Amino acid sequence: MKTFEDLIEEVQKPGLCHRCGGCVTFCSAVNYGALELDDNGKPRYKDASRCIECGICHAICPENDELTDETRQNVDWKPPLGRILELTIARSADPQVLQHATDGGVVTGLILKLFDDRLIDGAIVTRPLGRFRREPHLALSRDEIISAAGFFFDTSHGMKNYSDKYLTYATIEAFGAVIKKGVKRLAFVGTPCQIETVRRMQALSLIPSETIKYCFGLFCSGNFVFGEKQQKQLSRIGGFEWADVKKINIKEDLIIHLNDGRNIRIILDELEFMKRFACYFCRDYAAELADISCGGVGAENGWTTVIARTSTGKSILTESKKAVLEECSYENTISASKKALGAITKLSARKKNAALSNRKALAAHAQTEK
Ligand SMILES: Cc1cc2nc3c(=O)[nH]c(=O)nc-3n(C[C@H](O)[C@H](O)[C@H](O)COP(=O)(O)OP(=O)(O)OC[C@H]3O[C@@H](n4cnc5c(N)ncnc54)[C@H](O)[C@@H]3O)c2cc1C
């Protein structure tokens, strides 16, 4: 049986840990309490003597292949992009949601619909704590769900407050609050690696993953470190001042929306210097294991590209289109969906190919080190 020691050797030491928090979540949920997250979100032993060597932390890590087939079968995954039951371009019909949203506010709109229909008690989202700082959060009210929307940009703090640990990423440790508050039915929003961890936990029926009734995945070309050094370099590359920035967003490119209405686009290749190391090895762009995946790619500004992947996802999307979402006009939807699918296919293939060659290079490097 592989244990946390093996996770350290196989995943952490080579830099492959996504810091999704799954291993710690399970270990603390069942009260073993052998693991914890350090200040940077990296799992470590809290009390090694409490480890019963059950091997579950190893099995649910998205970097190991032990549960890949089972996890994929459970959502009827199909190559090359996962299952696609419907692809559309939509936005929230609620002006308050649109005002906060990253793109078309579809993720928030869908969660609110489930909440208002009393199908969920809340959602695990991330809430903004500052300009580039987020933390996972169990949102249990409409207001909390709405205020978690978007890629938050707070100009009230100075750069000196930021360090390399401030990422665009948040872990799933908000699961801890799920246990304490005893909530039973939740939606979960996450990047592809986070969704994969939840699906693996569900494949083994591990607490507290049975509380997750709906998985909303975000398209993801990578997570980025917005430390002081990186912010300076980015403003040099884009030729802008952070004080002039209203919002930032990631689609085919990084888009910097300025207060004066101008947009600056920086191609993703130029962001390699701030990409989190583990993301070089990730193979999932379009959150292929989610019920519904969302991104801005292929959609006009202010709209979200939406993929329903499971029958659960499809039925929420259908109900929401009748009530809380606005879809592109029919002709526009057909051509925009085609364009979006083309872009997603290209970006997914690019991510998978890069991950494959980076993994080969890492393995070759490890061989020469031996
Ligand atoms: C790190 C990252 C990289 C991304 N890369 C791309 C990309 O390359 N191409 C692309 O098309 N789209 C990308 N997206 C998705 C895109 O930014 C939007 O989240 C998506 O289009 C949904 O927009 P929306 O307006 O419908 O969502 P909103 O209604 O704004 O809701 C967004 C939801 O996501 C949650 N959230 C925000 N940040 C995080 C996070 N770090 N971890 C977990 N949950 C979070 C919020 O709490 C909220 O519930 C990325 C998102 C993230 C977080």
Side-chain angles (χ1 to χ4, degrees), residues 204-225:
L204 291 181
S205 305
L206 297 180
I207 61 163
S209 64
E210 81 289 355
T211 55
I212 304 297
K213 306 298 178 197
Y214 305 93
C215 276
F216 296 114
L218 306 173
F219 297 175
C220 186
S221 41
N223 282 276
F224 300 98
V225 179

Side-chain angles (χ1 to χ4, degrees), residues 102-108 126 148 150 168 219 221 223 250 285 295-297 304:
T102 321
D103 290 309
V106 169
V107 175
T108 305
T126 77
T168 53
F219 297 175
S221 41
N223 282 276
I250 306 175
Y285 174 82
V297 77
T304 306

Side-chain angles (χ1 to χ4, degrees), residues 90-92 97-98 100-111 123-128 134-137 144-152 167-171 188-192 194 216-224 247-253 268 285 293-299 302-306 344 347 351:
R91 69 178 176 195
S92 166
V97 172
L98 279 180
H100 283 80
T102 321
D103 290 309
V106 169
V107 175
T108 305
L110 292 169
I111 296 174
I124 295 184
V125 291
T126 77
R127 72 173 164 197
R134 295 191 152 268
E135 70 170 9
H137 180 61
E144 282 188 306
I145 293 166
I146 294 174
S147 62
F151 199 129
F152 196 77
L167 298 168
T168 53
Y169 192 69
T171 73
F188 177 88
V189 186
T191 46
Q194 294 171 318
F216 296 114
L218 306 173
F219 297 175
C220 186
S221 41
N223 282 276
F224 300 98
K247 174 176 153 177
I248 61 175
N249 195 357
I250 306 175
K251 296 191 181 199
E252 288 92 340
D253 304 318
L268 295 181
Y285 174 82
S293 313
C294 292
V297 77
W303 293 81
T304 306
T305 300
V306 192
I344 296 163
L347 288 162
K351 193 167 179 184

Side-chain angles (χ1 to χ4, degrees), residues 66-284:
E66 280 167 69
L67 291 172
T68 303
D69 291 345
E70 209 172 331
T71 307
R72 287 179 170 180
Q73 271 162 22
N74 287 349
V75 292
D76 207 4
W77 179 91
K78 292 185 173 47
L81 290 175
R83 194 177 182 206
I84 299 181
L85 294 181
E86 180 178 348
L87 191 157
T88 190
I89 313 284
R91 69 178 176 195
S92 166
D94 180 340
Q96 196 193 358
V97 172
L98 279 180
Q99 195 194 339
H100 283 80
T102 321
D103 290 309
V106 169
V107 175
T108 305
L110 292 169
I111 296 174
L112 285 174
K113 170 89 172 96
L114 292 168
F115 188 74
D116 291 342
D117 290 351
R118 300 182 189 281
L119 293 169
I120 54 171
D121 308 311
I124 295 184
V125 291
T126 77
R127 72 173 164 197
L129 289 180
R131 199 185 241 177
F132 295 114
R133 192 173 167 211
R134 295 191 152 268
E135 70 170 9
H137 180 61
L138 172 62
L140 293 172
S141 69
R142 280 194 119 249
D143 282 353
E144 282 188 306
I145 293 166
I146 294 174
S147 62
F151 199 129
F152 196 77
F153 192 85
D154 174 4
T155 45
S156 65
H157 300 90
M159 257 199 204
K160 63 181 184 328
N161 292 334
Y162 307 115
S163 77
D164 279 359
K165 72 178 182 183
Y166 297 153
L167 298 168
T168 53
Y169 192 69
T171 73
I172 58 178
E173 65 186 302
F175 259 136
V178 173
I179 306 270
K180 281 191 206 120
K181 294 187 180 170
V183 274
K184 299 265 183 295
R185 303 163 311 157
L186 291 170
F188 177 88
V189 186
T191 46
C193 51
Q194 294 171 318
I195 298 288
E196 180 155 5
T197 307
V198 171
R199 292 303 198 199
R200 282 167 183 251
M201 291 171 84
Q202 288 176 333
L204 291 181
S205 305
L206 297 180
I207 61 163
S209 64
E210 81 289 355
T211 55
I212 304 297
K213 306 298 178 197
Y214 305 93
C215 276
F216 296 114
L218 306 173
F219 297 175
C220 186
S221 41
N223 282 276
F224 300 98
V225 179
F226 281 95
E228 195 172 327
K229 220 171 61 202
Q230 290 86 355
Q231 290 176 44
K232 279 191 182 147
Q233 193 163 338
L234 197 59
S235 72
R236 230 184 353 259
I237 294 171
F240 65 89
E241 295 295 329
W242 283 107
D244 299 330
V245 177
K246 185 172 152 207
K247 174 176 153 177
I248 61 175
N249 195 357
I250 306 175
K251 296 191 181 199
E252 288 92 340
D253 304 318
L254 181 79
I255 308 168
I256 317 274
H257 300 264
L258 300 181
N259 288 322
D260 65 11
R262 283 183 302 133
N263 294 334
I264 294 174
R265 295 186 89 99
I266 301 177
I267 59 166
L268 295 181
D269 285 347
E270 295 227 45
L271 301 184
E272 298 288 293
F273 73 95
M274 58 193 290
K275 194 156 157 178
R276 198 176 51 161
F277 186 72
C279 298
Y280 285 103
F281 307 95
C282 173
R283 294 160 280 212
D284 189 353

